[in-house]
Each structure stands twice: as C-alpha cells, then as structure tokens.
Amino acid sequence: MTQLKDSYEVVVIGGGAAGLNGALMLARSRRSVAVIDAGRPRNAPADAVHGLFAREGTPRPSCSPVAGRRCAATGAR
C-alpha cells in the first residue's frame, strides 16, 4: 500500500477508466492527485471499455494497468 501525504488538491474515488483518465489530466495540469481504488471493478461483467477516447473496445483487464502506469508517471499516487 502506498503511504499518502497529509493533503491533496484532488482525491479521485475509483480507479476505473473515468477515474484514471481524470487523475491523468489533473496530474498533467500539475495538481496533486491521489486515486483511491479497492481493486474490485464494478463493471467486472463488461468485456471491454467503451466510450474512452483511444481505447474503444480494449478488453477491460488490459486497460486499467496501462492507465495506472500513465497516471503514476505524471505524479498521481
């Protein structure tokens, strides 16, 4: 588990496609961001991610690790 700082400008609840995309955009805008996620996706029955720019039709399990690495690279925790 990652140790959190005392404060963040933004805390995103949920590390799904929308949450990680929001965290990525905020981190790129130099905001301090933390993503809180239980690791149990609510959309587990879905076979793919839809409506996410540049990732349409990507199988759900392969999308989150990619987005997570991109967020971490910009400083989101």
Side-chain angles (χ1 to χ4, degrees):
M1 177 188 275
T2 301
Q3 184 66 34
L4 298 177
K5 299 186 309 185
D6 289 334
S7 66
Y8 291 91
E9 292 176 288
V10 179
V11 175
V12 176
I13 307 299
L20 290 176
N21 188 58
L24 177 63
M25 294 297 105
L26 288 161
R28 285 183 175 172
S29 298
R30 298 182 166 273
R31 301 290 160 229
S32 60
V33 181
V35 178
I36 308 295
D37 184 62
R40 296 183 311 263
R42 292 185 311 161
N43 71 335
D47 62 349
V49 175
H50 299 285
L52 182 61
F53 182 71
R55 292 285 176 187
E56 181 68 30
T58 300
R60 188 192 51 75
S62 66
C63 188
S64 289
V66 171
R69 285 192 302 273
R70 290 183 181 168
C71 284
T74 60
R77 299 275 174 223

